Amino acid sequence: MQGTVDGFTYGLVTPVAAFLMAALGAALGLRCTTRSLHATRSCRAGWLALGSLSIGSGVWTMHFVAMTGFTVQETPISYDKPLTFAGLAVAVVMIGIGIFIVGYRGATRMALITGGTITGLGIASMHYLGMAGMRMAAQFAYDTPLVVLSVLIAGCAATGALWAAVTLRGALSGLGASVLMAVAVTGMHYTGMAALDVHLHLPSTLPSDLSAVLPGDRPAEMIGPMLVGPGCFLLLAAVVLLFDPGALTGESGPITRPGHRPRDHQVPQPRRRPRNDPHARGRRPRSTAREGTGTARYR
């Protein structure tokens, strides 16, 4: 039996809220990534780790907010906590690998392609792992071409967002990169949801409350606890960037490229002219001649 799926139970409220959460996480995470390029090598890892936590938390929060608007008319939905939180860990780790590659290799073509691909795969893995954590009296089936398209959307848009974050300068470019990353996340999510078919397996005699026989927790019971952790990560990133003088411009320090030492603390030494420099101002070359015990100078 085919289930009646509705991904917009509350209208545009959940898609808009999900997009804003993804944009917030991307804005904080990409700004941390940009800031890492201007930090010393010892501080760069900290900025990149904070960026991966921000983007991963924003992506995971976006997914769960969007899923609150997903319903199947014939059966209630519950969630398995271990699989749901495993999606958060996968997102943070894989996105972290992607931005660490870009952060340490720079804006080279290979680094951007590799980092963007891994980041996109992390976003897609989080989505489908979260879908596997859903519990209902039904079986899922996916349309393979749409699944592949969702992964391609995530990878391509993530690559573009990383390129904009590490190449362009200014607040507007950072905002554009954040919007692009949010489009990648939400576009991947709803493309993946469009690939979903629900086949119901309902018993011949239904209990009065079908949700009572389903394992896992209801979305209303999980929404609060699940948002506490990612919310703390996003708040931490916001506070750190707020008190960083170069958070908005990303130009508070020198850009340290991989393999080069920062030169901001080198004091320029004055250039000394040779003693007999013919180009010295107001002087002509002079020579000395020794005659007997005396010395004659010609100027």
Side-chain angles (χ1 to χ4, degrees):
M1 179 181 176
Q2 191 79 13
T4 305
V5 176
D6 185 3
F8 303 93
T9 304
Y10 304 106
L12 294 178
V13 174
T14 49
V16 171
F19 178 84
L20 292 177
M21 292 304 300
L24 175 62
L28 296 174
L30 292 177
R31 179 51 57 189
C32 289
T33 304
T34 304
R35 187 64 184 85
S36 70
L37 301 178
H38 302 268
T40 60
R41 195 172 187 85
S42 59
C43 297
R44 185 176 301 168
W47 282 108
L48 294 175
L50 186 60
S52 63
L53 284 172
S54 300
I55 298 177
S57 299
V59 168
W60 187 81
T61 305
M62 179 283 311
H63 172 80
F64 194 75
V65 169
M67 289 306 296
T68 57
F70 175 79
T71 56
V72 179
Q73 183 176 347
E74 294 80 5
T75 179
I77 301 173
S78 62
Y79 291 89
D80 180 72
K81 279 186 177 180
L83 278 178
T84 303
F85 285 104
L88 174 61
V90 169
V92 171
V93 170
M94 294 192 68
I95 291 174
I97 293 174
I99 67 173
F100 263 78
I101 291 175
V102 175
Y104 277 94
R105 295 294 180 180
T108 62
R109 180 180 301 178
M110 185 57 63
L112 287 172
I113 293 176
T114 305
T117 301
I118 295 176
T119 300
L121 289 175
I123 296 171
S125 300
M126 179 280 308
H127 171 80
Y128 290 106
L129 189 59
M131 294 299 296
M134 296 179 66
R135 296 291 179 260
M136 66 178 71
Q139 182 179 1
F140 292 162
Y142 290 97
D143 184 9
T144 302
L146 283 178
V147 171
V148 174
L149 178 61
S150 69
V151 176
L152 290 177
I153 290 174
C156 293
T159 303
L162 289 175
W163 172 84
V166 301
T167 304
L168 305 179
R169 295 289 178 266
L172 290 179
S173 62
L175 178 62
S178 305
V179 171
L180 184 59
M181 179 69 81
V183 169
V185 175
T186 54
M188 180 280 309
H189 174 84
Y190 285 103
T191 303
M193 297 305 296
L196 176 66
D197 286 326
V198 178
H199 300 282
L200 299 174
H201 297 291
L202 299 177
S204 56
T205 58
L206 296 177
S208 58
D209 186 7
L210 186 60
S211 63
V213 301
L214 290 176
D217 297 307
R218 312 284 91 76
E221 300 172 358
M222 296 182 64
I223 184 70
M226 290 181 70
L227 295 182
V228 170
C232 291
F233 289 145
L234 294 176
L235 180 61
L236 174 63
V239 170
V240 172
L241 290 173
L242 179 64
F243 289 97
D244 180 67
L248 294 178
T249 62
E251 297 177 353
S252 62
I255 299 178
T256 55
R257 297 181 177 86
H260 292 75
R261 294 183 178 180
R263 303 180 60 183
D264 55 330
H265 299 297
Q266 294 183 1
V267 179
Q269 299 294 331
R271 185 178 177 181
R272 296 182 177 180
R273 292 183 178 274
R275 184 173 182 180
N276 294 328
D277 185 3
H279 300 287
R281 183 173 55 184
R283 291 187 177 182
R284 297 177 58 188
R286 61 184 181 180
S287 60
T288 59
R290 187 178 300 272
E291 297 180 2
T293 59
T295 301
R297 294 185 178 180
Y298 301 93
R299 297 183 180 272

